Amino acid sequence: MGEVHKLLADYGPAFGQALLLTWKLTALSFVPGFALGVVVAVLRLLPLPPLRGALTAYVEVFRNIPTVGLLIFIVFALPDLNVVLDYDTAVVLTLALVCSAFTADYLRSGINTVDSGQIEAALSLGMRPITVITAIVLPQALRTVVQPVTSLLIALMLSTSLASQVPFPGRELTALVSKIANESAAGIAAFAVAAALYVTTGLVIGWLGGLLERRLRILR
Amino acid sequence: MSRPLEDILFGAPSPRARAATRAASVAAAVVLLAVAAGIVARFHSAGQLDARLWSFFALPTTWAFLGKGLLGTLASAAMAAAIALGLGLVLMLGRLARPRLIRWPSVAAIEFLRGTPTLLLIYVCFLVLPSVGIKLSTYWMLTLPVALSTAAVVAEVYRAGVLAVPRGQTDAARSLGMTEMQVFFTIVFPQALRYIVPALVAQLVIVVKDTTFGYVVTYGELMQNAKVLIANYQSLVPVYLVVAAIYCLVNYGLSRASKRLGRPGW
């Protein structure tokens, strides 16, 4: 316990900043990632085979590629193609791309839970297919995917740890732990504190997601 | 529901709508081709299509080396998966046990391992354990953390499966005079396994992805070997593209397998 006390005296503010940066990276990549995922899921419904094929390929590639592999590609390979991004932009872009692919995939199964009778009813009322998607299919699909998207958000929060793989302005939690482990003997204490912060954040996200899920659940 | 939603949404269109759809399809194809052409042009103008950067892919040694990396990935992933399947079962049994002395530590272990990034656990094995005198091989520095974090997730998957088995079956088995062990291992668990096979296979994809961190500890998996190839041939973009394609194929194959196993009637 004394070790943790000393660690927090030495690195307390650094841990505060690291936690904030972890949260910031999570939010910055989740919001555009989720929005992009919704757009991809909707576009995949359009009856345009070339577009559907391309978007299916998009989803499968970013769902199956290791996230850190994608980050390394964006950071080290894109400059060879004359595309140079800041390190923090590269991290956010990586996480957002992966998040969008999983969101699109979950939404697709959410969309499949909508009863086809509702679609036929809406169409026979004279609604245009686009209106049916935005007014009937999408709201229900979004309500059914709260739970998997909550898990996705937690996974994304844990994935911000791979920002420690690039020289980043500021340190998120994992980079801070590796720095402390390199420069002092407080590695275990630093790890324990960082792990506690990750676990607590994840539990809070899971709890909020559970609340939202209970409010939005559709009783069928 | 036999027809997919999109067919119902846009099914049986009028001839005019069908013509519009066809025109839009062609337009989409043109735009996508333009994007692809733009990417190829960018590769060309950056000199990334030079034969020098690609020619070593014609050498069998290149593929042998990448193959060795893939084997390293699979060796680590298979061991991590095996440990996770066993340890996950232990953690799940602990979590479902009635005595608090067993249950609470199990819950704590699951939440801790599940809620901590795998990379952070790798750093512990790589940076922290050696400082207290525990030295692991690079194989275990990678495999152990991946196995531990997967075990916690697998424990929760098992638990979901066990809870999905109807209660009446447990009651019936008990009333036949079976012991708790018999009830669990002959009645509940085999059925639970069948529910969760797709989720378990999906978890394998995550294990394969996590082993990518092998380059952090310089364990010879696919990503690490890719870095060696890049250093040897000064060919960054092509190597990363080929390696990314290999990862996508392996994981896509696993995902497809999990969907197939999940089909009713299996």
Side-chain angles (χ1 to χ4, degrees):
Chain A
M1 239 28 219
E3 212 182 321
V4 173
H5 207 80
K6 186 176 176 314
L7 177 83
L8 288 184
D10 291 347
Y11 292 101
F15 269 106
Q17 277 163 14
L19 181 63
L20 278 182
L21 183 55
T22 295
W23 289 349
K24 195 178 115 187
L25 286 173
T26 308
L28 280 181
S29 49
F30 177 72
V31 173
F34 181 78
L36 183 59
V38 174
V39 171
V40 170
V42 169
L43 289 180
R44 268 177 102 179
L45 289 174
L46 299 183
L48 310 175
L51 186 64
R52 266 188 203 169
L55 291 176
T56 303
Y58 171 90
V59 170
E60 291 303 337
V61 165
F62 290 114
R63 227 166 53 98
N64 287 312
I65 199 170
T67 315
V68 67
L70 181 60
L71 175 68
I72 289 177
F73 186 86
I74 288 176
V75 171
F76 297 107
L78 284 190
D80 276 13
L81 296 168
N82 302 328
V83 182
V84 183
L85 299 173
D86 289 340
Y87 287 123
D88 42 358
T89 315
V91 171
V92 168
L93 176 66
T94 304
L95 294 174
L97 285 173
V98 172
C99 177
S100 73
F102 278 97
T103 303
D105 194 45
Y106 295 151
L107 265 179
R108 187 182 178 76
S109 42
I111 286 169
N112 282 333
T113 63
V114 179
D115 188 351
S116 55
Q118 295 188 18
I119 317 274
E120 282 162 353
L123 288 173
S124 65
L125 283 173
M127 276 190 177
R128 292 158 54 92
I130 302 299
T131 321
V132 178
I133 292 175
T134 53
I136 294 174
V137 176
L138 205 53
Q140 296 189 61
L142 286 172
R143 286 171 69 167
T144 54
V145 298
V146 172
Q147 202 254 326
V149 170
T150 304
S151 305
L152 176 64
L153 179 55
I154 295 174
L156 199 66
M157 189 266 297
L158 297 178
S159 297
T160 59
S161 63
L162 61 86
S164 63
Q165 298 303 302
V166 290
F168 201 68
R171 286 192 174 80
E172 44 66 57
L173 282 171
T174 299
L176 180 63
V177 171
S178 86
K179 174 182 181 274
I180 295 175
N182 271 325
E183 68 189 29
S184 75
I188 289 186
F191 162 66
V193 171
L197 293 175
Y198 275 119
V199 171
T200 312
T201 305
L203 288 177
V204 169
I205 295 175
W207 176 71
L208 290 174
L211 280 186
L212 194 64
E213 222 257 308
R214 273 195 292 285
R215 292 203 133 195
L216 295 181
R217 183 183 305 159
I218 301 170
L219 297 172
R220 288 200 167 94
Chain B
M1 199 186 74
S2 51
R3 283 201 298 162
L5 274 190
E6 45 262 53
D7 285 2
I8 300 168
L9 268 167
F10 301 100
S14 63
R16 240 182 83 196
R18 215 174 304 149
T21 307
R22 210 173 301 131
S25 272
V26 171
V30 169
V31 170
L32 289 168
L33 282 177
V35 170
I39 293 173
V40 173
R42 160 91 37 169
F43 267 72
H44 181 72
S45 70
Q48 289 297 324
L49 291 179
D50 285 7
R52 174 181 66 81
L53 295 174
W54 293 87
S55 58
F56 63 94
F57 281 113
L59 301 175
T61 47
T62 305
W63 291 102
F65 190 62
L66 284 177
K68 225 175 112 193
L70 183 59
L71 277 184
T73 292
L74 296 180
S76 176
M79 177 59 87
I83 296 175
L85 287 177
L87 185 60
L89 184 59
V90 173
L91 286 173
M92 182 270 288
L93 289 174
R95 175 148 198 189
L96 290 179
R98 243 161 268 145
R100 280 180 204 161
L101 221 57
I102 301 175
R103 195 170 70 226
W104 287 5
S106 306
V107 172
I110 290 173
E111 292 299 341
F112 165 73
L113 291 173
R114 207 163 59 122
T116 313
T118 311
L119 183 58
L120 189 58
L121 296 177
I122 292 175
Y123 273 130
V124 170
C125 291
F126 178 50
L127 296 173
V128 180
L129 289 188
S131 71
V132 293
I134 302 170
K135 193 94 180 72
L136 299 171
S137 66
T138 57
Y139 175 75
W140 286 108
M141 276 187 213
L142 172 67
T143 306
L144 192 63
V146 173
L148 288 176
S149 45
T150 310
V153 182
V154 166
E156 291 298 285
V157 173
Y158 279 139
R159 192 167 72 106
V162 165
L163 295 181
V165 176
R167 247 203 89 83
Q169 305 223 1
T170 323
D171 295 340
R174 279 207 198 103
S175 69
L176 285 173
M178 284 188 175
T179 64
E180 289 297 315
M181 288 286 273
Q182 279 176 318
V183 173
F184 186 80
F185 282 105
T186 63
I187 307 290
V188 176
F189 194 59
Q191 301 190 67
L193 266 188
R194 290 190 54 165
Y195 293 135
I196 62 171
V197 162
L200 286 181
V201 180
Q203 202 55 41
L204 270 180
V205 172
I206 298 178
V207 171
V208 171
K209 285 187 190 176
D210 277 354
T211 58
T212 317
F213 288 123
Y215 77 90
V216 174
V217 297
T218 66
Y219 168 67
E221 42 75 58
L222 192 49
M223 196 60 156
Q224 163 70 14
N225 283 13
K227 290 203 153 178
V228 175
L229 270 189
I230 288 167
N232 282 349
Y233 293 101
Q234 269 89 50
S235 168
L236 198 94
V237 177
V239 173
Y240 277 140
L241 279 181
V242 168
V243 166
I246 297 175
Y247 272 114
C248 284
L249 285 177
V250 169
N251 287 336
Y252 180 70
L254 286 172
S255 306
R256 285 299 293 265
S258 87
K259 282 198 176 123
R260 181 153 306 170
L261 290 170
R263 265 187 215 152
W266 173 72

